[in-house]
Amino acid sequence: MNVKKIMIMPLMILLLVFTSACGMFSSSSKETAQSQEKKGNSDVIKIGVIVAETGPASTLGKTEANTIKMIQKQLDETGPINGKKIELVMRDYETDDTKAVIAMDKLISDGIVAIIGATQASTTNAILPKAEKANLPLLTLAPINTDIENVYNIPPSSATVASKMIDYLVENKISKVAWVNAKDAFGVDGLPHFEPLAKEKNIEIVAHEEFDATASDMTIQLTNVREKNPEAVIVWSRTPGAGIVARNFKALGFEVPMIQSHASANQGFLDQVKSNSENIFVVAGKLNVVTQLEDSEYKSLVEEYVNPYEKEYNEPTDFFGAHSYDAVQLVIKAVEEGNFTSSDINNYLQNELKEYQGISGKFDLTKPIEGPQADGVTVLSIEDGTWKYTE
């Protein structure tokens, strides 16, 4: 072999590899487009839903699951939309992230066009890569932080909830607080958002304690907090840990208010604290006190969800059920406007709908990761085992 041939051979191999790779990419894009087209041509639009209907997180996931079942019943009664039957394909991941990932694989293979879930932030982060790879719109039921496109935070962000806490502290002239959080994905997310807002308002964080999310007693952490003489105690955790902290707080005889995050805005928390609710406040959805709100378009919107729910299940719903309601309504709205594929649904939400007044708050869908604004949340007290509107 002469020198010229030796120099040309590597170039030919590179050209062959490049051409082959281009073919693979082209084939992959073609398959994705064909899959999207196939979904769009089907008479059934499948929307995947992953919730913790059972297991420890079911205190949040149960109303989410019930809401999905109720909406499916309503959809079946009203019939197809734009010639399409909408099927909500729900999977209970039993508060087990591994089962959620397995469920996600099955839903994708079943041809869903969007995914709603999961109940917990850690689970949502676990299924997120699969949603991204499949180019699915992901409408979260727990707030997460990501720069991946097509992710819609349906609950208020941690920053929005923290700002509501700050408003409460300022209004009540509280300038020294203690911070207590669970050491899980949700629990550690609050302080980074609260801290800069508190600094802006000259609110000092005099103590910071953490507890294991599965712990059964937080007396040690609260004893440490009390030594710093805070004027309020902020708790960022979901039930059951949030309820255990509240019970320990009462047993230790604190006389300052405790303010809990939105993850405690559910019946499970009320059942835990029972008569130990004095001086305990929770950032919650206004739907928790819809009968106490003044008449407005927003109140009427909330009643469209709350009244049928209570009639169906003979029990109150909560903010978590509202998130699943808003998520499904957004996808239904896209289908009503003739958008049947994942890419068309994404384009409609962000570029055509842009704004949406949900029960969870008003959404700016051009910034989907920011979640709803604070108009849907408030700080509630608890009286006689029920929520009390304080504004």
Side-chain angles (χ1 to χ4, degrees), residues 8 11 17 21 25 41 50 86 100 102 105 145 151 189 215 241 285 291 316 332 373:
I8 291 174
L11 292 174
V17 171
F25 293 142
N41 290 334
I50 295 178
I86 295 181
I102 294 171
D105 282 333
N145 298 311
V151 177
D189 187 56
T291 58
I332 289 176
Q373 299 169 12

Side-chain angles (χ1 to χ4, degrees), residues 140-174:
T140 77
L141 298 179
I144 62 170
N145 298 311
T146 179
D147 57 1
I148 294 175
E149 293 183 353
N150 304 332
V151 177
Y152 302 80
N153 262 339
I154 302 302
S157 68
S158 296
T160 299
V161 174
S163 70
K164 205 67 182 178
M165 286 180 166
I166 295 291
D167 290 345
Y168 178 88
L169 296 172
V170 171
E171 289 168 6
N172 288 277
K173 297 180 172 53
I174 295 172

Side-chain angles (χ1 to χ4, degrees), residues 34-64:
Q34 288 175 339
S35 175
Q36 290 283 321
E37 185 179 357
K38 185 177 178 182
K39 292 176 190 176
N41 290 334
S42 171
D43 291 334
V44 179
I45 300 294
K46 294 182 180 180
I47 303 168
V49 183
I50 295 178
V51 294
E53 188 175 10
T54 60
S58 63
T59 52
L60 316 182
K62 183 67 176 176
T63 53
E64 294 171 349

Side-chain angles (χ1 to χ4, degrees), residues 166 169-170 173-177 194-206 231:
I166 295 291
L169 296 172
V170 171
K173 297 180 172 53
I174 295 172
S175 60
K176 293 196 306 180
V177 302
F194 179 87
E195 204 163 19
L197 296 173
K199 190 174 182 179
E200 285 180 11
K201 299 296 182 182
N202 295 317
I203 295 171
E204 182 183 4
I205 302 171
V206 297
E231 296 168 354

